[in-house]
Amino acid sequence: MNTFQETVEYLASHTEERPETMIILGSGLGTLAGALDHAVRMPYGKIPHFVHATATGHKGNLICGTLGGKSVWVMQGRFHYYEGYTMQQVTYPVRVMKCLGVKQLLLSNAAGGINPAFRVGDLMMIRDHINMMPNPLIGPNNDAFGTRFPDMTRAYDREFIRIAGEIAASRNIPLKTGVYVGLTGPSFETPAEYAFYGRAGGDAIGMSTVPEVIVARHAGLRVFGLSVITNEGYHFADDFVNDGADVIAAARKAADSMTLLFTELVGRI
């Protein structure tokens, strides 16, 4: 039995639900898990071949429950390359979900704002990304999941973006759209790096999401991504310090709007 089969059998034995949607929650954004009905919670440490979430603000639970009237899988915290894990470990849950019949992946993250029009607390739909991490598909291709050279022209589903925009407008939720830059971390970016990636076309920057999106698209999943802007990387006062605790606090303040948006989006897709 391979590792995927072992993980799938464990998860299937703990719930009879077979959700078609997976949600991955970023730093400080785990409160959406509290909105789930009929939740079955499984700590990562008990799931075969899952690693531990060591990042601040990541609780480390996989939850099966109901959101927006539909069954979902929710990762309350993700794995990062900067934690010392391989890209295969970082993206392993996405492939497990594919094996379980998941068809769409919704992701959130805490990100630094590069676009000077962005403010702390803003929500940004990801329309595209710039990958500055090792590609998780490097190595022999797993033909069971997808083709050797997956197309990334429309990595983020345009219909999902349209629906989310309609929901935000109807709920008076301010919503930006932009390009996410994915770096390895764990150091925050220098002022010169913020400026560089802004000139390269980035609107927000962070240390996650892109590897999961690449693997999801390789496996044929539809993808929606949402960034919460937790700091402004386009002006720096003399006493400015990028602080991880401030990032978590800012993400939590925006978590209610994100939860509302995700709940209604799940109900409509």
Side-chain angles (χ1 to χ4, degrees), residues 8 11 15 17-24 62-65 71-75 92-107 145 160 212 215-224 266 269:
V8 166
L11 296 179
T15 176
E17 298 294 328
R18 293 296 177 266
E20 294 187 352
T21 299
M22 176 189 190
I23 302 173
I24 300 179
L62 179 65
I63 307 169
C64 185
S71 296
V72 296
W73 290 105
V74 175
M75 284 187 68
Y92 181 79
V94 176
R95 285 183 161 170
V96 168
M97 291 296 120
K98 170 66 176 181
C99 295
L100 282 165
V102 163
K103 295 180 179 178
Q104 51 250 352
L105 172 64
L106 279 55
L107 309 101
F145 288 103
F160 290 176
E212 297 148 334
V215 166
R217 293 302 301 136
H218 177 251
L221 304 185
R222 301 173 71 182
V223 172
F224 176 81
V266 167
I269 61 177

mmCIF file of all heavy atoms in Angstrom, residues 8 11 15 17-24 62-65 71-75 92-107 145 160 212 215-224 266 269:
data_model
loop_
_atom_site.group_PDB
_atom_site.id
_atom_site.type_symbol
_atom_site.label_atom_id
_atom_site.label_comp_id
_atom_site.label_asym_id
_atom_site.label_seq_id
_atom_site.Cartn_x
_atom_site.Cartn_y
_atom_site.Cartn_z
ATOM 1 N N VAL A 8 -5.583 8.108 2.735
ATOM 2 C CA VAL A 8 -6.973 8.119 2.279
ATOM 3 C C VAL A 8 -7.815 7.150 3.108
ATOM 4 O O VAL A 8 -8.940 7.481 3.523
ATOM 5 C CB VAL A 8 -7.044 7.778 0.776
ATOM 6 C CG1 VAL A 8 -8.481 7.442 0.377
ATOM 7 C CG2 VAL A 8 -6.517 8.930 -0.070
ATOM 8 N N LEU A 11 -8.506 8.660 6.594
ATOM 9 C CA LEU A 11 -9.494 9.741 6.577
ATOM 10 C C LEU A 11 -10.886 9.205 6.253
ATOM 11 O O LEU A 11 -11.879 9.632 6.860
ATOM 12 C CB LEU A 11 -9.082 10.806 5.554
ATOM 13 C CG LEU A 11 -7.762 11.543 5.850
ATOM 14 C CD1 LEU A 11 -7.453 12.543 4.745
ATOM 15 C CD2 LEU A 11 -7.810 12.245 7.197
ATOM 16 N N THR A 15 -14.821 9.540 8.641
ATOM 17 C CA THR A 15 -16.021 10.280 8.251
ATOM 18 C C THR A 15 -16.641 9.635 7.022
ATOM 19 O O THR A 15 -15.922 9.131 6.144
ATOM 20 C CB THR A 15 -15.722 11.768 7.941
ATOM 21 O OG1 THR A 15 -16.918 12.409 7.481
ATOM 22 C CG2 THR A 15 -14.634 11.903 6.889
ATOM 23 N N GLU A 17 -18.578 11.426 5.050
ATOM 24 C CA GLU A 17 -18.739 12.499 4.076
ATOM 25 C C GLU A 17 -17.660 12.406 2.998
ATOM 26 O O GLU A 17 -16.528 11.988 3.274
ATOM 27 C CB GLU A 17 -18.663 13.862 4.758
ATOM 28 C CG GLU A 17 -19.749 14.104 5.796
ATOM 29 C CD GLU A 17 -21.125 14.177 5.171
ATOM 30 O OE1 GLU A 17 -21.233 14.629 4.016
ATOM 31 O OE2 GLU A 17 -22.108 13.796 5.837
ATOM 32 N N ARG A 18 -18.005 12.820 1.771
ATOM 33 C CA ARG A 18 -17.035 12.862 0.686
ATOM 34 C C ARG A 18 -17.107 14.244 0.012
ATOM 35 O O ARG A 18 -17.664 14.394 -1.078
ATOM 36 C CB ARG A 18 -17.309 11.740 -0.332
ATOM 37 C CG ARG A 18 -17.071 10.347 0.230
ATOM 38 C CD ARG A 18 -15.606 10.123 0.602
ATOM 39 N NE ARG A 18 -15.396 8.809 1.213
ATOM 40 C CZ ARG A 18 -15.392 8.585 2.519
ATOM 41 N NH1 ARG A 18 -15.617 9.585 3.363
ATOM 42 N NH2 ARG A 18 -15.184 7.380 2.995
ATOM 43 N N PRO A 19 -16.568 15.263 0.673
ATOM 44 C CA PRO A 19 -16.660 16.634 0.151
ATOM 45 C C PRO A 19 -15.943 16.795 -1.191
ATOM 46 O O PRO A 19 -14.986 16.078 -1.495
ATOM 47 C CB PRO A 19 -15.963 17.461 1.236
ATOM 48 C CG PRO A 19 -15.984 16.608 2.463
ATOM 49 C CD PRO A 19 -15.878 15.208 1.960
ATOM 50 N N GLU A 20 -16.427 17.743 -1.965
ATOM 51 C CA GLU A 20 -15.784 18.082 -3.239
ATOM 52 C C GLU A 20 -14.946 19.360 -3.139
ATOM 53 O O GLU A 20 -14.299 19.746 -4.109
ATOM 54 C CB GLU A 20 -16.841 18.249 -4.334
ATOM 55 C CG GLU A 20 -17.569 16.949 -4.673
ATOM 56 C CD GLU A 20 -18.485 17.095 -5.873
ATOM 57 O OE1 GLU A 20 -18.680 18.231 -6.358
ATOM 58 O OE2 GLU A 20 -19.013 16.064 -6.332
ATOM 59 N N THR A 21 -14.961 20.004 -1.960
ATOM 60 C CA THR A 21 -14.226 21.251 -1.775
ATOM 61 C C THR A 21 -13.251 21.123 -0.621
ATOM 62 O O THR A 21 -13.598 20.622 0.454
ATOM 63 C CB THR A 21 -15.187 22.427 -1.494
ATOM 64 O OG1 THR A 21 -16.064 22.591 -2.606
ATOM 65 C CG2 THR A 21 -14.412 23.726 -1.281
ATOM 66 N N MET A 22 -12.031 21.598 -0.841
ATOM 67 C CA MET A 22 -11.001 21.672 0.186
ATOM 68 C C MET A 22 -10.663 23.141 0.417
ATOM 69 O O MET A 22 -10.549 23.921 -0.532
ATOM 70 C CB MET A 22 -9.741 20.924 -0.266
ATOM 71 C CG MET A 22 -8.570 21.011 0.701
ATOM 72 S SD MET A 22 -7.063 20.317 -0.035
ATOM 73 C CE MET A 22 -5.980 20.269 1.392
ATOM 74 N N ILE A 23 -10.511 23.533 1.683
ATOM 75 C CA ILE A 23 -10.130 24.891 2.052
ATOM 76 C C ILE A 23 -8.852 24.823 2.880
ATOM 77 O O ILE A 23 -8.771 24.051 3.841
ATOM 78 C CB ILE A 23 -11.237 25.597 2.858
ATOM 79 C CG1 ILE A 23 -12.544 25.651 2.066
ATOM 80 C CG2 ILE A 23 -10.798 27.004 3.261
ATOM 81 C CD1 ILE A 23 -13.731 26.182 2.869
ATOM 82 N N ILE A 24 -7.857 25.620 2.515
ATOM 83 C CA ILE A 24 -6.622 25.716 3.289
ATOM 84 C C ILE A 24 -6.555 27.112 3.896
ATOM 85 O O ILE A 24 -6.619 28.112 3.181
ATOM 86 C CB ILE A 24 -5.378 25.452 2.417
ATOM 87 C CG1 ILE A 24 -5.440 24.040 1.811
ATOM 88 C CG2 ILE A 24 -4.109 25.617 3.240
ATOM 89 C CD1 ILE A 24 -4.263 23.701 0.900
ATOM 90 N N LEU A 62 -7.041 18.874 10.529
ATOM 91 C CA LEU A 62 -7.845 18.653 9.336
ATOM 92 C C LEU A 62 -9.274 18.402 9.810
ATOM 93 O O LEU A 62 -9.501 17.548 10.671
ATOM 94 C CB LEU A 62 -7.339 17.466 8.531
ATOM 95 C CG LEU A 62 -8.131 17.139 7.262
ATOM 96 C CD1 LEU A 62 -8.016 18.264 6.238
ATOM 97 C CD2 LEU A 62 -7.648 15.833 6.644
ATOM 98 N N ILE A 63 -10.216 19.168 9.259
ATOM 99 C CA ILE A 63 -11.600 19.097 9.723
ATOM 100 C C ILE A 63 -12.519 18.794 8.548
ATOM 101 O O ILE A 63 -12.398 19.398 7.480
ATOM 102 C CB ILE A 63 -12.023 20.428 10.371
ATOM 103 C CG1 ILE A 63 -11.023 20.842 11.453
ATOM 104 C CG2 ILE A 63 -13.422 20.327 10.962
ATOM 105 C CD1 ILE A 63 -11.218 22.245 11.960
ATOM 106 N N CYS A 64 -13.421 17.857 8.765
ATOM 107 C CA CYS A 64 -14.486 17.597 7.806
ATOM 108 C C CYS A 64 -15.781 18.103 8.421
ATOM 109 O O CYS A 64 -16.125 17.745 9.561
ATOM 110 C CB CYS A 64 -14.590 16.109 7.497
ATOM 111 S SG CYS A 64 -15.798 15.716 6.205
ATOM 112 N N GLY A 65 -16.481 18.979 7.709
ATOM 113 C CA GLY A 65 -17.707 19.541 8.245
ATOM 114 C C GLY A 65 -18.555 20.145 7.147
ATOM 115 O O GLY A 65 -18.293 19.942 5.956
ATOM 116 N N SER A 71 -20.622 19.922 2.275
ATOM 117 C CA SER A 71 -19.523 19.293 2.995
ATOM 118 C C SER A 71 -18.185 19.798 2.464
ATOM 119 O O SER A 71 -18.013 19.939 1.244
ATOM 120 C CB SER A 71 -19.587 17.769 2.852
ATOM 121 O OG SER A 71 -20.757 17.259 3.454
ATOM 122 N N VAL A 72 -17.257 20.043 3.370
ATOM 123 C CA VAL A 72 -15.934 20.537 2.995
ATOM 124 C C VAL A 72 -14.868 19.869 3.852
ATOM 125 O O VAL A 72 -15.127 19.415 4.968
ATOM 126 C CB VAL A 72 -15.821 22.075 3.156
ATOM 127 C CG1 VAL A 72 -16.770 22.801 2.224
ATOM 128 C CG2 VAL A 72 -16.076 22.499 4.608
ATOM 129 N N TRP A 73 -13.662 19.830 3.308
ATOM 130 C CA TRP A 73 -12.459 19.545 4.087
ATOM 131 C C TRP A 73 -11.790 20.887 4.374
ATOM 132 O O TRP A 73 -11.658 21.715 3.462
ATOM 133 C CB TRP A 73 -11.477 18.682 3.307
ATOM 134 C CG TRP A 73 -11.874 17.261 3.079
ATOM 135 C CD1 TRP A 73 -12.324 16.694 1.922
ATOM 136 C CD2 TRP A 73 -11.808 16.192 4.035
ATOM 137 N NE1 TRP A 73 -12.559 15.366 2.085
ATOM 138 C CE2 TRP A 73 -12.246 15.018 3.383
ATOM 139 C CE3 TRP A 73 -11.428 16.113 5.379
ATOM 140 C CZ2 TRP A 73 -12.306 13.785 4.022
ATOM 141 C CZ3 TRP A 73 -11.491 14.891 6.031
ATOM 142 C CH2 TRP A 73 -11.928 13.740 5.356
ATOM 143 N N VAL A 74 -11.353 21.105 5.605
ATOM 144 C CA VAL A 74 -10.666 22.344 5.958
ATOM 145 C C VAL A 74 -9.347 22.012 6.644
ATOM 146 O O VAL A 74 -9.319 21.281 7.644
ATOM 147 C CB VAL A 74 -11.528 23.221 6.896
ATOM 148 C CG1 VAL A 74 -10.736 24.449 7.360
ATOM 149 C CG2 VAL A 74 -12.797 23.662 6.186
ATOM 150 N N MET A 75 -8.267 22.553 6.107
ATOM 151 C CA MET A 75 -6.972 22.480 6.767
ATOM 152 C C MET A 75 -6.816 23.729 7.629
ATOM 153 O O MET A 75 -6.721 24.843 7.110
ATOM 154 C CB MET A 75 -5.833 22.399 5.749
ATOM 155 C CG MET A 75 -5.672 21.054 5.098
ATOM 156 S SD MET A 75 -4.177 20.949 4.060
ATOM 157 C CE MET A 75 -2.864 21.032 5.312
ATOM 158 N N TYR A 92 1.510 17.521 -0.092
ATOM 159 C CA TYR A 92 0.935 16.181 0.053
ATOM 160 C C TYR A 92 -0.565 16.198 0.327
ATOM 161 O O TYR A 92 -1.328 15.429 -0.291
ATOM 162 C CB TYR A 92 1.678 15.435 1.162
ATOM 163 C CG TYR A 92 1.213 14.024 1.397
ATOM 164 C CD1 TYR A 92 1.618 12.981 0.561
ATOM 165 C CD2 TYR A 92 0.374 13.715 2.468
ATOM 166 C CE1 TYR A 92 1.200 11.682 0.779
ATOM 167 C CE2 TYR A 92 -0.052 12.406 2.688
ATOM 168 C CZ TYR A 92 0.360 11.397 1.850
ATOM 169 O OH TYR A 92 -0.062 10.105 2.056
ATOM 170 N N PRO A 93 -1.069 17.084 1.215
ATOM 171 C CA PRO A 93 -2.523 17.067 1.486
ATOM 172 C C PRO A 93 -3.378 17.344 0.254
ATOM 173 O O PRO A 93 -4.493 16.823 0.147
ATOM 174 C CB PRO A 93 -2.694 18.173 2.535
ATOM 175 C CG PRO A 93 -1.368 18.265 3.224
ATOM 176 C CD PRO A 93 -0.369 18.018 2.133
ATOM 177 N N VAL A 94 -2.885 18.149 -0.664
ATOM 178 C CA VAL A 94 -3.665 18.460 -1.862
ATOM 179 C C VAL A 94 -3.863 17.199 -2.689
ATOM 180 O O VAL A 94 -4.973 16.927 -3.190
ATOM 181 C CB VAL A 94 -2.981 19.561 -2.695
ATOM 182 C CG1 VAL A 94 -3.753 19.816 -3.985
ATOM 183 C CG2 VAL A 94 -2.861 20.847 -1.885
ATOM 184 N N ARG A 95 -2.825 16.411 -2.826
ATOM 185 C CA ARG A 95 -2.941 15.175 -3.604
ATOM 186 C C ARG A 95 -3.810 14.141 -2.887
ATOM 187 O O ARG A 95 -4.547 13.383 -3.528
ATOM 188 C CB ARG A 95 -1.553 14.626 -3.907
ATOM 189 C CG ARG A 95 -0.858 15.434 -5.003
ATOM 190 C CD ARG A 95 0.480 14.886 -5.395
ATOM 191 N NE ARG A 95 0.877 15.400 -6.707
ATOM 192 C CZ ARG A 95 2.088 15.250 -7.225
ATOM 193 N NH1 ARG A 95 3.028 14.608 -6.540
ATOM 194 N NH2 ARG A 95 2.361 15.736 -8.418
ATOM 195 N N VAL A 96 -3.740 14.128 -1.572
ATOM 196 C CA VAL A 96 -4.627 13.241 -0.813
ATOM 197 C C VAL A 96 -6.082 13.610 -1.076
ATOM 198 O O VAL A 96 -6.938 12.734 -1.305
ATOM 199 C CB VAL A 96 -4.316 13.334 0.697
ATOM 200 C CG1 VAL A 96 -5.424 12.657 1.512
ATOM 201 C CG2 VAL A 96 -2.977 12.688 1.006
ATOM 202 N N MET A 97 -6.366 14.906 -1.074
ATOM 203 C CA MET A 97 -7.736 15.364 -1.323
ATOM 204 C C MET A 97 -8.198 15.005 -2.731
ATOM 205 O O MET A 97 -9.363 14.651 -2.941
ATOM 206 C CB MET A 97 -7.839 16.871 -1.103
ATOM 207 C CG MET A 97 -7.681 17.308 0.336
ATOM 208 S SD MET A 97 -8.993 16.673 1.406
ATOM 209 C CE MET A 97 -8.023 15.720 2.583
ATOM 210 N N LYS A 98 -7.293 15.078 -3.682
ATOM 211 C CA LYS A 98 -7.630 14.659 -5.047
ATOM 212 C C LYS A 98 -8.044 13.189 -5.045
ATOM 213 O O LYS A 98 -9.042 12.797 -5.676
ATOM 214 C CB LYS A 98 -6.434 14.884 -5.969
ATOM 215 C CG LYS A 98 -6.567 14.270 -7.359
ATOM 216 C CD LYS A 98 -7.666 14.935 -8.181
ATOM 217 C CE LYS A 98 -7.700 14.356 -9.590
ATOM 218 N NZ LYS A 98 -8.749 14.987 -10.432
ATOM 219 N N CYS A 99 -7.304 12.362 -4.318
ATOM 220 C CA CYS A 99 -7.635 10.936 -4.228
ATOM 221 C C CYS A 99 -8.991 10.702 -3.574
ATOM 222 O O CYS A 99 -9.661 9.705 -3.862
ATOM 223 C CB CYS A 99 -6.553 10.195 -3.446
ATOM 224 S SG CYS A 99 -4.922 10.156 -4.222
ATOM 225 N N LEU A 100 -9.396 11.635 -2.695
ATOM 226 C CA LEU A 100 -10.670 11.516 -1.995
ATOM 227 C C LEU A 100 -11.840 12.083 -2.791
ATOM 228 O O LEU A 100 -12.974 12.081 -2.315
ATOM 229 C CB LEU A 100 -10.581 12.220 -0.636
ATOM 230 C CG LEU A 100 -9.845 11.457 0.467
ATOM 231 C CD1 LEU A 100 -9.510 12.392 1.627
ATOM 232 C CD2 LEU A 100 -10.687 10.276 0.949
ATOM 233 N N GLY A 101 -11.566 12.609 -3.977
ATOM 234 C CA GLY A 101 -12.632 13.095 -4.832
ATOM 235 C C GLY A 101 -12.865 14.590 -4.813
ATOM 236 O O GLY A 101 -13.848 15.078 -5.389
ATOM 237 N N VAL A 102 -11.974 15.338 -4.162
ATOM 238 C CA VAL A 102 -12.105 16.798 -4.150
ATOM 239 C C VAL A 102 -11.918 17.355 -5.562
ATOM 240 O O VAL A 102 -11.058 16.896 -6.317
ATOM 241 C CB VAL A 102 -11.079 17.418 -3.171
ATOM 242 C CG1 VAL A 102 -10.890 18.900 -3.428
ATOM 243 C CG2 VAL A 102 -11.521 17.180 -1.737
ATOM 244 N N LYS A 103 -12.727 18.366 -5.909
ATOM 245 C CA LYS A 103 -12.683 18.948 -7.250
ATOM 246 C C LYS A 103 -12.249 20.411 -7.261
ATOM 247 O O LYS A 103 -11.889 20.945 -8.311
ATOM 248 C CB LYS A 103 -14.059 18.824 -7.918
ATOM 249 C CG LYS A 103 -14.479 17.383 -8.163
ATOM 250 C CD LYS A 103 -15.843 17.300 -8.832
ATOM 251 C CE LYS A 103 -16.241 15.844 -9.080
ATOM 252 N NZ LYS A 103 -17.596 15.746 -9.697
ATOM 253 N N GLN A 104 -12.337 21.081 -6.093
ATOM 254 C CA GLN A 104 -11.935 22.481 -6.055
ATOM 255 C C GLN A 104 -11.213 22.792 -4.749
ATOM 256 O O GLN A 104 -11.506 22.212 -3.700
ATOM 257 C CB GLN A 104 -13.120 23.420 -6.240
ATOM 258 C CG GLN A 104 -14.301 23.176 -5.364
ATOM 259 C CD GLN A 104 -15.495 22.629 -6.138
ATOM 260 O OE1 GLN A 104 -15.513 22.556 -7.358
ATOM 261 N NE2 GLN A 104 -16.522 22.238 -5.408
ATOM 262 N N LEU A 105 -10.271 23.713 -4.854
ATOM 263 C CA LEU A 105 -9.426 24.108 -3.732
ATOM 264 C C LEU A 105 -9.542 25.605 -3.512
ATOM 265 O O LEU A 105 -9.327 26.397 -4.429
ATOM 266 C CB LEU A 105 -7.966 23.739 -4.021
ATOM 267 C CG LEU A 105 -6.918 24.242 -3.029
ATOM 268 C CD1 LEU A 105 -7.132 23.620 -1.656
ATOM 269 C CD2 LEU A 105 -5.510 23.924 -3.546
ATOM 270 N N LEU A 106 -9.897 25.986 -2.287
ATOM 271 C CA LEU A 106 -9.946 27.386 -1.888
ATOM 272 C C LEU A 106 -8.832 27.607 -0.880
ATOM 273 O O LEU A 106 -8.702 26.849 0.095
ATOM 274 C CB LEU A 106 -11.291 27.729 -1.246
ATOM 275 C CG LEU A 106 -12.494 28.027 -2.166
ATOM 276 C CD1 LEU A 106 -12.765 26.905 -3.139
ATOM 277 C CD2 LEU A 106 -13.741 28.298 -1.314
ATOM 278 N N LEU A 107 -8.018 28.649 -1.099
ATOM 279 C CA LEU A 107 -6.881 28.907 -0.231
ATOM 280 C C LEU A 107 -6.928 30.329 0.306
ATOM 281 O O LEU A 107 -7.377 31.250 -0.380
ATOM 282 C CB LEU A 107 -5.558 28.740 -0.981
ATOM 283 C CG LEU A 107 -5.332 27.463 -1.781
ATOM 284 C CD1 LEU A 107 -5.573 27.733 -3.259
ATOM 285 C CD2 LEU A 107 -3.909 26.942 -1.590
ATOM 286 N N PHE A 145 -1.656 11.693 -11.394
ATOM 287 C CA PHE A 145 -2.272 12.972 -11.032
ATOM 288 C C PHE A 145 -2.401 13.920 -12.214
ATOM 289 O O PHE A 145 -3.386 14.650 -12.313
ATOM 290 C CB PHE A 145 -1.471 13.636 -9.915
ATOM 291 C CG PHE A 145 -1.620 12.971 -8.586
ATOM 292 C CD1 PHE A 145 -0.614 12.150 -8.093
ATOM 293 C CD2 PHE A 145 -2.765 13.125 -7.833
ATOM 294 C CE1 PHE A 145 -0.755 11.507 -6.870
ATOM 295 C CE2 PHE A 145 -2.925 12.492 -6.608
ATOM 296 C CZ PHE A 145 -1.908 11.680 -6.129
ATOM 297 N N PHE A 160 -14.904 31.393 -10.409
ATOM 298 C CA PHE A 160 -14.880 31.567 -8.959
ATOM 299 C C PHE A 160 -14.587 33.024 -8.599
ATOM 300 O O PHE A 160 -15.171 33.570 -7.656
ATOM 301 C CB PHE A 160 -13.824 30.663 -8.330
ATOM 302 C CG PHE A 160 -14.165 29.191 -8.372
ATOM 303 C CD1 PHE A 160 -13.258 28.250 -7.910
ATOM 304 C CD2 PHE A 160 -15.383 28.738 -8.862
ATOM 305 C CE1 PHE A 160 -13.550 26.901 -7.929
ATOM 306 C CE2 PHE A 160 -15.696 27.386 -8.904
ATOM 307 C CZ PHE A 160 -14.762 26.463 -8.428
ATOM 308 N N GLU A 212 0.907 24.825 -3.458
ATOM 309 C CA GLU A 212 -0.369 24.107 -3.402
ATOM 310 C C GLU A 212 -1.180 24.338 -4.676
ATOM 311 O O GLU A 212 -1.826 23.416 -5.190
ATOM 312 C CB GLU A 212 -1.155 24.576 -2.179
ATOM 313 C CG GLU A 212 -0.461 24.259 -0.865
ATOM 314 C CD GLU A 212 -0.736 25.285 0.234
ATOM 315 O OE1 GLU A 212 -1.027 26.448 -0.091
ATOM 316 O OE2 GLU A 212 -0.640 24.911 1.407
ATOM 317 N N VAL A 215 0.323 22.233 -7.606
ATOM 318 C CA VAL A 215 -0.028 20.812 -7.498
ATOM 319 C C VAL A 215 -1.523 20.601 -7.743
ATOM 320 O O VAL A 215 -1.929 19.619 -8.380
ATOM 321 C CB VAL A 215 0.405 20.272 -6.124
ATOM 322 C CG1 VAL A 215 -0.228 18.915 -5.840
ATOM 323 C CG2 VAL A 215 1.924 20.156 -6.067
ATOM 324 N N ALA A 216 -2.341 21.531 -7.283
ATOM 325 C CA ALA A 216 -3.783 21.418 -7.522
ATOM 326 C C ALA A 216 -4.108 21.500 -9.004
ATOM 327 O O ALA A 216 -4.917 20.719 -9.522
ATOM 328 C CB ALA A 216 -4.522 22.521 -6.761
ATOM 329 N N ARG A 217 -3.491 22.428 -9.698
ATOM 330 C CA ARG A 217 -3.747 22.560 -11.137
ATOM 331 C C ARG A 217 -3.192 21.361 -11.901
ATOM 332 O O ARG A 217 -3.797 20.909 -12.876
ATOM 333 C CB ARG A 217 -3.127 23.863 -11.663
ATOM 334 C CG ARG A 217 -3.795 25.111 -11.128
ATOM 335 C CD ARG A 217 -5.295 25.149 -11.461
ATOM 336 N NE ARG A 217 -5.515 25.093 -12.898
ATOM 337 C CZ ARG A 217 -6.439 24.334 -13.483
ATOM 338 N NH1 ARG A 217 -7.245 23.562 -12.765
ATOM 339 N NH2 ARG A 217 -6.567 24.359 -14.797
ATOM 340 N N HIS A 218 -2.064 20.846 -11.464
ATOM 341 C CA HIS A 218 -1.511 19.629 -12.065
ATOM 342 C C HIS A 218 -2.519 18.487 -11.968
ATOM 343 O O HIS A 218 -2.646 17.675 -12.892
ATOM 344 C CB HIS A 218 -0.206 19.262 -11.351
ATOM 345 C CG HIS A 218 0.437 17.996 -11.832
ATOM 346 N ND1 HIS A 218 0.471 16.850 -11.064
ATOM 347 C CD2 HIS A 218 1.079 17.688 -12.992
ATOM 348 C CE1 HIS A 218 1.106 15.900 -11.736
ATOM 349 N NE2 HIS A 218 1.495 16.379 -12.905
ATOM 350 N N ALA A 219 -3.267 18.459 -10.847
ATOM 351 C CA ALA A 219 -4.240 17.387 -10.622
ATOM 352 C C ALA A 219 -5.625 17.717 -11.163
ATOM 353 O O ALA A 219 -6.566 16.937 -10.973
ATOM 354 C CB ALA A 219 -4.335 17.095 -9.115
ATOM 355 N N GLY A 220 -5.764 18.869 -11.822
ATOM 356 C CA GLY A 220 -7.036 19.217 -12.441
ATOM 357 C C GLY A 220 -8.048 19.860 -11.523
ATOM 358 O O GLY A 220 -9.234 19.956 -11.879
ATOM 359 N N LEU A 221 -7.637 20.318 -10.323
ATOM 360 C CA LEU A 221 -8.559 20.986 -9.418
ATOM 361 C C LEU A 221 -8.759 22.440 -9.833
ATOM 362 O O LEU A 221 -7.832 23.096 -10.309
ATOM 363 C CB LEU A 221 -8.040 20.944 -7.977
ATOM 364 C CG LEU A 221 -7.731 19.581 -7.360
ATOM 365 C CD1 LEU A 221 -7.350 19.751 -5.901
ATOM 366 C CD2 LEU A 221 -8.898 18.632 -7.498
ATOM 367 N N ARG A 222 -9.963 22.946 -9.626
ATOM 368 C CA ARG A 222 -10.235 24.363 -9.814
ATOM 369 C C ARG A 222 -9.809 25.104 -8.547
ATOM 370 O O ARG A 222 -9.982 24.592 -7.439
ATOM 371 C CB ARG A 222 -11.712 24.591 -10.112
ATOM 372 C CG ARG A 222 -12.195 23.872 -11.355
ATOM 373 C CD ARG A 222 -13.699 23.985 -11.526
ATOM 374 N NE ARG A 222 -14.098 25.355 -11.898
ATOM 375 C CZ ARG A 222 -15.370 25.732 -12.065
ATOM 376 N NH1 ARG A 222 -16.359 24.859 -11.844
ATOM 377 N NH2 ARG A 222 -15.659 26.971 -12.427
ATOM 378 N N VAL A 223 -9.272 26.310 -8.714
ATOM 379 C CA VAL A 223 -8.608 26.993 -7.595
ATOM 380 C C VAL A 223 -9.128 28.412 -7.421
ATOM 381 O O VAL A 223 -9.334 29.144 -8.398
ATOM 382 C CB VAL A 223 -7.077 27.030 -7.826
ATOM 383 C CG1 VAL A 223 -6.388 27.899 -6.781
ATOM 384 C CG2 VAL A 223 -6.500 25.612 -7.805
ATOM 385 N N PHE A 224 -9.315 28.783 -6.139
ATOM 386 C CA PHE A 224 -9.598 30.179 -5.770
ATOM 387 C C PHE A 224 -8.664 30.556 -4.631
ATOM 388 O O PHE A 224 -8.518 29.797 -3.663
ATOM 389 C CB PHE A 224 -11.044 30.340 -5.321
ATOM 390 C CG PHE A 224 -11.381 31.734 -4.835
ATOM 391 C CD1 PHE A 224 -11.671 32.738 -5.749
ATOM 392 C CD2 PHE A 224 -11.379 32.039 -3.480
ATOM 393 C CE1 PHE A 224 -11.975 34.026 -5.321
ATOM 394 C CE2 PHE A 224 -11.683 33.322 -3.040
ATOM 395 C CZ PHE A 224 -11.980 34.322 -3.964
ATOM 396 N N VAL A 266 -18.608 28.774 -1.215
ATOM 397 C CA VAL A 266 -18.777 27.314 -1.170
ATOM 398 C C VAL A 266 -20.212 26.942 -1.511
ATOM 399 O O VAL A 266 -20.457 25.965 -2.236
ATOM 400 C CB VAL A 266 -18.386 26.766 0.224
ATOM 401 C CG1 VAL A 266 -18.860 25.317 0.384
ATOM 402 C CG2 VAL A 266 -16.891 26.857 0.427
ATOM 403 N N ILE A 269 -20.704 27.126 -5.507
ATOM 404 C CA ILE A 269 -19.877 26.425 -6.495
ATOM 405 C C ILE A 269 -20.123 24.915 -6.433
ATOM 406 O O ILE A 269 -20.734 24.419 -5.513
ATOM 407 C CB ILE A 269 -18.383 26.728 -6.305
ATOM 408 C CG1 ILE A 269 -17.893 26.283 -4.921
ATOM 409 C CG2 ILE A 269 -18.112 28.206 -6.503
ATOM 410 C CD1 ILE A 269 -16.391 26.497 -4.719
#
